[in-house]
Amino acid sequence: NMGVSAGPVGRVVWPLKRAIDELDSFSARPKKGGANMGVSAGMKFTAAATLTCLTCSQGLLMEASKEHGKYPYNVATVPLMSELMKLILSSFLLYQQYTKDPKATQMTLDWRSIMLFPIPSIIYLFHNNVQFYTMAYVDAATYQILGNLKIVTTGFLFWIALKRYLSRIQWLALLLLMAGATTSQISGCEGSVLAAPAMGYFLGILSAFLSATAGVYTEFLMKKNNDSLYFQNVQLYGFGTLFNAIRLSFDDATAGYENGSWLYSGFHGWNWVTWAIAVNFAFSGLFVSWIMKYADTIVKVYATSSAMLLTALLSVWFFDLAPTLQLFLGILIACVSINLYFMPKDSTPPKSASLPVAVKAEAEPSPEVDRSR
Protein backbone atom coordinates (compact mmCIF):
# COMPACT_ATOMS: atom_id res chain seq x y z
CA ASN A 1 0.00 0.00 0.00
CA MET A 2 3.01 2.27 -0.52
CA GLY A 3 3.14 3.37 3.11
CA VAL A 4 -0.23 5.10 3.37
CA SER A 5 -0.90 5.81 7.03
CA ALA A 6 -4.29 5.49 8.64
CA GLY A 7 -6.04 8.71 9.48
CA PRO A 8 -7.73 11.59 7.62
CA VAL A 9 -4.86 12.16 5.18
CA GLY A 10 -4.45 8.46 4.52
CA ARG A 11 -8.17 8.02 3.87
CA VAL A 12 -8.11 10.83 1.32
CA VAL A 13 -4.95 9.67 -0.46
CA TRP A 14 -5.61 5.91 -0.36
CA PRO A 15 -8.19 5.79 -3.22
CA LEU A 16 -5.73 7.63 -5.46
CA LYS A 17 -2.95 5.17 -4.66
CA ARG A 18 -5.26 2.21 -5.25
CA ALA A 19 -6.31 3.61 -8.63
CA ILE A 20 -2.68 4.04 -9.64
CA ASP A 21 -1.83 0.47 -8.57
CA GLU A 22 -4.80 -0.92 -10.49
CA LEU A 23 -3.94 0.94 -13.67
CA ASP A 24 -0.23 0.19 -13.36
CA SER A 25 -0.66 -3.31 -14.79
CA PHE A 26 -2.60 -1.88 -17.73
CA SER A 27 -0.18 0.98 -18.38
CA ALA A 28 2.88 -1.26 -18.07
CA ARG A 29 1.82 -3.46 -20.96
CA PRO A 30 4.00 -2.95 -24.01
CA LYS A 31 2.46 -0.33 -26.23
CA LYS A 32 3.41 0.76 -29.69
CA GLY A 33 6.85 2.29 -29.37
CA GLY A 34 7.20 1.28 -25.72
CA ALA A 35 5.89 4.53 -24.30
CA ASN A 36 5.58 3.13 -20.79
CA MET A 37 9.05 1.65 -20.38
CA GLY A 38 10.68 2.51 -17.05
CA VAL A 39 7.63 4.24 -15.53
CA SER A 40 6.77 2.95 -12.06
CA ALA A 41 3.57 3.25 -10.05
CA GLY A 42 5.40 5.61 -7.69
CA MET A 43 6.18 8.01 -10.51
CA LYS A 44 2.56 7.95 -11.63
CA PHE A 45 1.37 8.60 -8.09
CA THR A 46 3.75 11.55 -7.72
CA ALA A 47 2.53 13.09 -10.96
CA ALA A 48 -1.13 12.47 -10.09
CA ALA A 49 -0.73 13.85 -6.56
CA THR A 50 0.98 16.99 -7.89
CA LEU A 51 -1.78 17.45 -10.44
CA THR A 52 -4.32 17.09 -7.63
CA CYS A 53 -2.70 19.96 -5.69
CA LEU A 54 -2.49 22.16 -8.79
CA THR A 55 -6.12 21.51 -9.69
CA CYS A 56 -7.24 22.22 -6.15
CA SER A 57 -5.57 25.63 -6.18
CA GLN A 58 -7.08 26.62 -9.54
CA GLY A 59 -10.53 27.33 -8.20
CA LEU A 60 -9.14 29.10 -5.16
CA LEU A 61 -6.87 31.33 -7.24
CA MET A 62 -9.60 32.23 -9.72
CA GLU A 63 -11.93 33.09 -6.86
CA ALA A 64 -9.21 35.21 -5.22
CA SER A 65 -8.56 37.11 -8.47
CA LYS A 66 -12.11 38.53 -8.54
CA GLU A 67 -12.80 42.12 -7.57
CA HIS A 68 -16.36 42.88 -6.51
CA GLY A 69 -17.44 39.55 -7.99
CA LYS A 70 -15.89 40.19 -11.41
CA TYR A 71 -12.57 39.54 -13.11
CA PRO A 72 -10.63 42.82 -13.53
CA TYR A 73 -8.71 41.41 -16.51
CA ASN A 74 -9.40 39.81 -19.87
CA VAL A 75 -9.88 36.15 -18.99
CA ALA A 76 -8.93 35.04 -22.52
CA THR A 77 -5.36 36.23 -21.99
CA VAL A 78 -4.73 33.72 -19.16
CA PRO A 79 -5.00 30.59 -21.35
CA LEU A 80 -2.84 32.31 -23.97
CA MET A 81 -0.10 33.05 -21.45
CA SER A 82 -0.24 29.55 -19.98
CA GLU A 83 0.02 27.99 -23.46
CA LEU A 84 2.99 30.23 -24.24
CA MET A 85 4.68 29.21 -20.97
CA LYS A 86 4.20 25.52 -21.77
CA LEU A 87 5.52 26.03 -25.30
CA ILE A 88 8.68 27.81 -24.10
CA LEU A 89 9.39 25.26 -21.38
CA SER A 90 8.73 22.27 -23.67
CA SER A 91 10.96 23.76 -26.38
CA PHE A 92 13.77 24.21 -23.87
CA LEU A 93 13.42 20.63 -22.59
CA LEU A 94 13.32 19.29 -26.16
CA TYR A 95 16.50 21.21 -26.98
CA GLN A 96 18.20 19.81 -23.89
CA GLN A 97 17.11 16.28 -24.74
CA TYR A 98 18.19 16.54 -28.38
CA THR A 99 21.57 18.02 -27.44
CA LYS A 100 22.21 15.23 -24.96
CA ASP A 101 21.15 12.31 -27.21
CA PRO A 102 19.98 13.16 -30.76
CA LYS A 103 19.42 9.53 -31.77
CA ALA A 104 17.16 8.79 -28.80
CA THR A 105 15.02 11.89 -29.44
CA GLN A 106 12.43 10.57 -31.86
CA MET A 107 10.40 13.14 -33.81
CA THR A 108 7.82 12.32 -36.49
CA LEU A 109 7.87 15.15 -39.00
CA ASP A 110 5.20 13.74 -41.31
CA TRP A 111 2.60 16.45 -41.91
CA ARG A 112 -0.23 13.93 -41.54
CA SER A 113 0.89 13.31 -37.98
CA ILE A 114 1.47 16.99 -37.18
CA MET A 115 -1.98 18.01 -38.43
CA LEU A 116 -3.63 15.82 -35.79
CA PHE A 117 -2.43 18.11 -32.98
CA PRO A 118 -4.56 21.21 -33.76
CA ILE A 119 -7.74 19.29 -32.84
CA PRO A 120 -7.16 19.01 -29.06
CA SER A 121 -5.76 22.56 -29.07
CA ILE A 122 -9.06 23.87 -30.40
CA ILE A 123 -11.00 21.87 -27.81
CA TYR A 124 -8.76 23.06 -24.97
CA LEU A 125 -9.13 26.62 -26.26
CA PHE A 126 -12.86 26.51 -25.60
CA HIS A 127 -12.50 24.49 -22.39
CA ASN A 128 -10.02 26.85 -20.73
CA ASN A 129 -12.25 29.83 -21.37
CA VAL A 130 -15.43 28.03 -20.30
CA GLN A 131 -13.74 27.39 -16.94
CA PHE A 132 -13.59 31.12 -16.24
CA TYR A 133 -17.20 31.71 -17.24
CA THR A 134 -18.27 28.81 -15.02
CA MET A 135 -16.56 30.42 -12.02
CA ALA A 136 -18.63 33.55 -12.64
CA TYR A 137 -21.75 31.61 -11.57
CA VAL A 138 -20.46 29.16 -8.93
CA ASP A 139 -18.08 29.22 -5.98
CA ALA A 140 -14.74 27.38 -5.79
CA ALA A 141 -16.08 24.21 -4.11
CA THR A 142 -19.06 23.94 -6.47
CA TYR A 143 -16.70 24.46 -9.39
CA GLN A 144 -14.71 21.39 -8.33
CA ILE A 145 -17.85 19.30 -7.73
CA LEU A 146 -19.28 20.13 -11.16
CA GLY A 147 -15.87 19.38 -12.61
CA ASN A 148 -16.24 15.80 -11.41
CA LEU A 149 -18.92 15.30 -14.05
CA LYS A 150 -16.03 14.76 -16.45
CA ILE A 151 -15.69 11.28 -14.91
CA VAL A 152 -19.11 10.45 -16.33
CA THR A 153 -18.37 11.99 -19.71
CA THR A 154 -14.94 10.36 -19.88
CA GLY A 155 -16.43 6.95 -19.13
CA PHE A 156 -19.06 7.54 -21.80
CA LEU A 157 -16.48 8.54 -24.41
CA PHE A 158 -14.21 5.65 -23.43
CA TRP A 159 -17.12 3.32 -24.05
CA ILE A 160 -18.20 4.94 -27.33
CA ALA A 161 -14.92 6.07 -28.91
CA LEU A 162 -12.29 3.70 -27.51
CA LYS A 163 -14.57 0.70 -26.80
CA ARG A 164 -13.32 0.56 -23.20
CA TYR A 165 -15.32 -1.89 -21.11
CA LEU A 166 -16.92 -0.60 -17.92
CA SER A 167 -18.44 -3.00 -15.43
CA ARG A 168 -21.93 -2.59 -13.97
CA ILE A 169 -20.43 -1.43 -10.67
CA GLN A 170 -18.41 1.23 -12.47
CA TRP A 171 -21.49 2.58 -14.24
CA LEU A 172 -23.36 2.64 -10.92
CA ALA A 173 -20.42 4.51 -9.42
CA LEU A 174 -20.67 7.12 -12.16
CA LEU A 175 -24.37 7.56 -11.49
CA LEU A 176 -23.57 7.93 -7.78
CA LEU A 177 -21.15 10.70 -8.64
CA MET A 178 -23.85 12.56 -10.53
CA ALA A 179 -26.13 12.17 -7.52
CA GLY A 180 -23.41 13.50 -5.24
CA ALA A 181 -22.88 16.55 -7.44
CA THR A 182 -26.63 17.22 -7.42
CA THR A 183 -26.94 16.75 -3.65
CA SER A 184 -24.19 19.27 -2.99
CA GLN A 185 -26.19 21.92 -4.85
CA ILE A 186 -29.31 21.70 -2.69
CA SER A 187 -29.34 24.80 -0.50
CA GLY A 188 -32.55 24.19 1.41
CA CYS A 189 -36.32 24.26 1.14
CA GLU A 190 -36.69 28.03 1.29
CA GLY A 191 -36.22 30.10 -1.82
CA SER A 192 -34.24 28.57 -4.63
CA VAL A 193 -33.55 24.86 -4.17
CA LEU A 194 -30.43 24.92 -6.30
CA ALA A 195 -27.44 26.91 -5.07
CA ALA A 196 -26.17 27.82 -8.53
CA PRO A 197 -28.06 29.36 -11.48
CA ALA A 198 -28.98 27.25 -14.50
CA MET A 199 -26.19 28.82 -16.57
CA GLY A 200 -23.65 27.52 -14.07
CA TYR A 201 -24.92 23.97 -14.61
CA PHE A 202 -24.88 24.34 -18.37
CA LEU A 203 -21.32 25.64 -18.40
CA GLY A 204 -20.24 22.91 -15.96
CA ILE A 205 -21.68 20.15 -18.17
CA LEU A 206 -20.18 21.74 -21.27
CA SER A 207 -16.79 21.95 -19.57
CA ALA A 208 -17.05 18.27 -18.59
CA PHE A 209 -17.73 17.16 -22.17
CA LEU A 210 -14.94 19.34 -23.55
CA SER A 211 -12.48 18.03 -20.97
CA ALA A 212 -13.40 14.39 -21.65
CA THR A 213 -13.21 14.79 -25.43
CA ALA A 214 -9.86 16.54 -25.30
CA GLY A 215 -8.52 14.01 -22.79
CA VAL A 216 -9.47 10.92 -24.78
CA TYR A 217 -8.15 12.37 -28.03
CA THR A 218 -4.93 13.62 -26.44
CA GLU A 219 -4.23 10.20 -24.98
CA PHE A 220 -4.58 8.75 -28.47
CA LEU A 221 -2.08 11.29 -29.82
CA MET A 222 0.44 10.75 -27.03
CA LYS A 223 0.45 6.97 -27.32
CA LYS A 224 0.18 6.51 -31.07
CA ASN A 225 3.97 6.45 -31.43
CA ASN A 226 7.21 6.71 -29.44
CA ASP A 227 7.92 10.35 -30.21
CA SER A 228 9.58 12.45 -27.54
CA LEU A 229 7.07 13.79 -25.03
CA TYR A 230 8.63 17.23 -25.34
CA PHE A 231 8.27 17.18 -29.14
CA GLN A 232 4.62 16.21 -28.80
CA ASN A 233 4.14 19.03 -26.28
CA VAL A 234 5.76 21.54 -28.62
CA GLN A 235 3.22 20.62 -31.29
CA LEU A 236 0.28 20.60 -28.89
CA TYR A 237 1.11 23.89 -27.18
CA GLY A 238 2.34 25.56 -30.37
CA PHE A 239 -1.08 25.18 -31.91
CA GLY A 240 -2.66 26.11 -28.58
CA THR A 241 -0.76 29.40 -28.48
CA LEU A 242 -1.64 30.13 -32.10
CA PHE A 243 -5.37 29.53 -31.70
CA ASN A 244 -5.58 31.53 -28.47
CA ALA A 245 -3.87 34.47 -30.18
CA ILE A 246 -6.26 34.19 -33.12
CA ARG A 247 -9.21 34.17 -30.72
CA LEU A 248 -8.02 37.38 -29.02
CA SER A 249 -7.44 39.07 -32.38
CA PHE A 250 -10.92 38.05 -33.51
CA ASP A 251 -12.45 39.51 -30.34
CA ASP A 252 -10.63 42.81 -30.95
CA ALA A 253 -11.81 42.96 -34.56
CA THR A 254 -15.39 42.19 -33.52
CA ALA A 255 -15.31 45.00 -30.95
CA GLY A 256 -13.87 47.41 -33.53
CA TYR A 257 -10.64 47.74 -31.55
CA GLU A 258 -12.50 49.79 -28.96
CA ASN A 259 -9.82 49.07 -26.36
CA GLY A 260 -6.99 48.73 -28.84
CA SER A 261 -5.12 45.55 -29.67
CA TRP A 262 -4.77 42.82 -27.04
CA LEU A 263 -1.00 43.08 -27.53
CA TYR A 264 -1.11 46.42 -25.72
CA SER A 265 -4.19 46.29 -23.50
CA GLY A 266 -4.77 42.55 -23.11
CA PHE A 267 -2.85 42.30 -19.85
CA HIS A 268 -4.47 45.31 -18.18
CA GLY A 269 -5.65 44.42 -14.67
CA TRP A 270 -3.19 41.56 -14.17
CA ASN A 271 -1.71 41.13 -10.71
CA TRP A 272 0.34 38.49 -8.94
CA VAL A 273 -2.75 36.26 -8.50
CA THR A 274 -3.41 36.34 -12.24
CA TRP A 275 0.19 35.36 -12.95
CA ALA A 276 -0.14 32.57 -10.40
CA ILE A 277 -3.19 31.28 -12.30
CA ALA A 278 -1.27 31.29 -15.58
CA VAL A 279 1.66 29.41 -14.02
CA ASN A 280 -0.76 26.96 -12.42
CA PHE A 281 -2.46 26.28 -15.76
CA ALA A 282 0.93 25.84 -17.42
CA PHE A 283 2.28 23.25 -14.99
CA SER A 284 -1.08 21.49 -14.80
CA GLY A 285 -0.99 21.05 -18.56
CA LEU A 286 2.55 19.67 -18.46
CA PHE A 287 1.62 17.12 -15.81
CA VAL A 288 -1.51 16.16 -17.76
CA SER A 289 0.54 15.47 -20.89
CA TRP A 290 2.95 13.31 -18.87
CA ILE A 291 0.06 11.32 -17.42
CA MET A 292 -1.52 10.94 -20.86
CA LYS A 293 1.77 9.61 -22.23
CA TYR A 294 2.70 7.18 -19.46
CA ALA A 295 -0.53 6.47 -17.57
CA ASP A 296 -4.17 6.85 -18.52
CA THR A 297 -6.92 9.42 -18.96
CA ILE A 298 -8.78 7.93 -15.99
CA VAL A 299 -5.76 8.62 -13.78
CA LYS A 300 -5.85 12.26 -14.87
CA VAL A 301 -9.58 12.52 -14.26
CA TYR A 302 -9.30 10.87 -10.87
CA ALA A 303 -6.39 13.07 -9.83
CA THR A 304 -8.27 16.26 -10.65
CA SER A 305 -11.41 14.94 -8.97
CA SER A 306 -9.49 14.19 -5.77
CA ALA A 307 -8.99 17.94 -5.38
CA MET A 308 -12.70 18.33 -4.61
CA LEU A 309 -12.53 17.65 -0.87
CA LEU A 310 -9.43 19.75 -0.32
CA THR A 311 -10.93 22.65 -2.26
CA ALA A 312 -14.11 22.60 -0.18
CA LEU A 313 -12.17 22.64 3.07
CA LEU A 314 -9.86 25.43 1.94
CA SER A 315 -12.81 27.46 0.66
CA VAL A 316 -14.29 27.40 4.15
CA TRP A 317 -11.00 28.70 5.55
CA PHE A 318 -10.05 31.33 2.96
CA PHE A 319 -13.40 32.59 1.63
CA ASP A 320 -15.65 32.11 4.69
CA LEU A 321 -17.79 29.67 2.74
CA ALA A 322 -20.47 28.36 5.09
CA PRO A 323 -20.13 24.56 5.23
CA THR A 324 -23.51 22.90 4.64
CA LEU A 325 -24.66 19.36 5.30
CA GLN A 326 -25.58 18.99 1.64
CA LEU A 327 -22.07 19.93 0.58
CA PHE A 328 -20.41 17.33 2.77
CA LEU A 329 -23.01 14.70 1.83
CA GLY A 330 -22.23 15.39 -1.82
CA ILE A 331 -18.50 15.05 -1.16
CA LEU A 332 -19.09 11.81 0.76
CA ILE A 333 -21.21 10.32 -2.04
CA ALA A 334 -18.60 11.37 -4.61
CA CYS A 335 -15.80 9.73 -2.60
CA VAL A 336 -17.81 6.51 -2.28
CA SER A 337 -18.46 6.47 -6.02
CA ILE A 338 -14.76 6.96 -6.74
CA ASN A 339 -13.90 4.01 -4.48
CA LEU A 340 -16.49 1.85 -6.24
CA TYR A 341 -15.24 2.87 -9.67
CA PHE A 342 -11.66 1.83 -8.91
CA MET A 343 -12.58 -1.24 -6.89
CA PRO A 344 -10.26 -4.12 -7.86
CA LYS A 345 -12.01 -6.65 -10.07
CA ASP A 346 -10.29 -9.68 -8.50
CA SER A 347 -11.09 -9.15 -4.85
CA THR A 348 -9.76 -11.68 -2.34
CA PRO A 349 -12.69 -13.53 -0.69
CA PRO A 350 -13.07 -12.94 3.05
CA LYS A 351 -11.44 -15.41 5.38
CA SER A 352 -14.80 -16.32 6.90
CA ALA A 353 -15.82 -17.90 3.60
CA SER A 354 -13.33 -20.76 4.15
CA LEU A 355 -14.29 -21.49 7.78
CA PRO A 356 -17.11 -23.97 7.07
CA VAL A 357 -14.79 -26.06 4.89
CA ALA A 358 -12.07 -26.07 7.55
CA VAL A 359 -14.54 -27.07 10.29
CA LYS A 360 -16.00 -29.82 8.17
CA ALA A 361 -12.55 -31.21 7.42
CA GLU A 362 -11.70 -31.34 11.11
CA ALA A 363 -15.01 -32.97 12.07
CA GLU A 364 -14.71 -35.92 9.64
CA PRO A 365 -12.67 -38.81 11.07
CA SER A 366 -9.94 -40.29 8.93
CA PRO A 367 -10.65 -43.66 7.26
CA GLU A 368 -7.32 -45.01 8.59
CA VAL A 369 -8.42 -44.32 12.14
CA ASP A 370 -11.65 -46.24 11.65
CA ARG A 371 -9.77 -49.33 10.42
CA SER A 372 -7.45 -49.33 13.41
CA ARG A 373 -10.40 -49.27 15.74
Side-chain angles (χ1 to χ4, degrees), residues 60-358:
L60 299 175
L61 289 172
M62 286 189 287
E63 186 72 18
S65 67
K66 291 182 180 179
E67 293 183 2
H68 307 291
K70 296 182 180 180
Y71 298 112
Y73 51 88
N74 186 352
V75 296
T77 58
V78 177
L80 171 65
M81 181 56 62
S82 66
E83 292 293 307
L84 183 60
M85 290 178 180
K86 289 184 285 187
L87 176 61
I88 294 174
L89 184 57
S90 298
S91 300
F92 174 76
L93 294 175
L94 177 62
Y95 172 78
Q96 292 284 84
Q97 184 183 52
Y98 184 81
T99 303
K100 184 177 180 180
D101 193 352
K103 294 183 179 180
T105 307
Q106 181 172 326
M107 295 181 289
T108 302
L109 301 178
D110 186 2
W111 68 271
R112 289 172 294 185
S113 176
I114 296 176
M115 292 309 297
L116 295 175
F117 283 85
I119 298 176
S121 299
I122 296 174
I123 300 175
Y124 279 123
L125 166 65
F126 287 100
H127 174 257
N128 290 336
N129 289 281
V130 166
Q131 284 181 306
F132 275 97
Y133 292 113
T134 304
M135 284 295 297
Y137 294 93
V138 300
D139 53 58
T142 304
Y143 167 79
Q144 290 293 343
I145 294 174
L146 287 175
N148 278 274
L149 293 175
K150 60 179 169 284
I151 296 181
V152 181
T153 55
T154 301
F156 178 76
L157 291 178
F158 261 52
W159 176 52
I160 296 296
L162 299 182
K163 308 299 181 182
R164 182 187 177 107
Y165 170 77
L166 294 177
S167 66
R168 185 177 302 178
I169 293 180
Q170 288 177 318
W171 281 115
L172 290 175
L174 297 182
L175 293 177
L176 261 182
L177 182 59
M178 295 182 64
T182 305
T183 301
S184 66
Q185 294 299 297
I186 300 177
S187 57
C189 298
E190 298 180 359
S192 178
V193 176
L194 299 179
M199 181 58 69
Y201 287 105
F202 171 76
L203 292 175
I205 295 174
L206 177 61
S207 177
F209 268 100
L210 291 174
S211 176
T213 303
V216 171
Y217 189 84
T218 302
E219 181 182 347
F220 162 74
L221 288 181
M222 292 296 181
K223 293 181 177 178
K224 71 184 182 69
N225 55 35
N226 197 33
D227 279 0
S228 167
L229 173 62
Y230 306 133
F231 176 68
Q232 292 175 323
N233 283 344
V234 167
Q235 298 175 82
L236 188 64
Y237 304 136
F239 284 111
T241 303
L242 175 63
F243 289 132
N244 275 278
I246 292 176
R247 180 264 169 97
L248 285 170
S249 300
F250 178 79
D251 290 345
D252 288 342
T254 303
Y257 295 96
E258 181 179 355
N259 298 321
S261 174
W262 62 269
L263 292 172
Y264 301 100
S265 61
F267 298 95
H268 175 74
W270 276 53
N271 52 33
W272 71 269
V273 180
T274 314
W275 282 105
I277 295 174
V279 173
N280 183 298
F281 279 9
F283 280 94
S284 296
L286 292 173
F287 275 100
V288 166
S289 65
W290 190 95
I291 291 175
M292 293 292 190
K293 181 76 170 179
Y294 300 111
D296 190 274
T297 306
I298 299 296
V299 175
K300 185 265 293 185
V301 170
Y302 187 58
T304 55
S305 300
S306 299
M308 173 181 56
L309 178 59
L310 186 57
T311 301
L313 296 177
L314 292 179
S315 295
V316 173
W317 180 267
F318 286 106
F319 302 113
D320 296 326
L321 179 67
T324 63
L325 177 62
Q326 294 87 344
L327 174 62
F328 286 104
L329 282 177
I331 292 175
L332 178 61
I333 295 174
C335 291
V336 171
S337 70
I338 291 173
N339 277 273
L340 286 176
Y341 188 90
F342 289 103
M343 180 180 295
K345 297 179 181 179
D346 298 325
S347 299
T348 304
K351 295 181 180 180
S352 59
S354 61
L355 289 179
V357 178

Side-chain angles (χ1 to χ4, degrees), residues 19-41:
I20 297 296
D21 293 338
E22 180 187 353
L23 289 169
D24 186 50
S25 58
F26 169 78
S27 301
R29 295 173 189 170
K31 303 250 186 338
K32 183 177 180 181
N36 293 288
M37 295 299 293
V39 179
S40 63

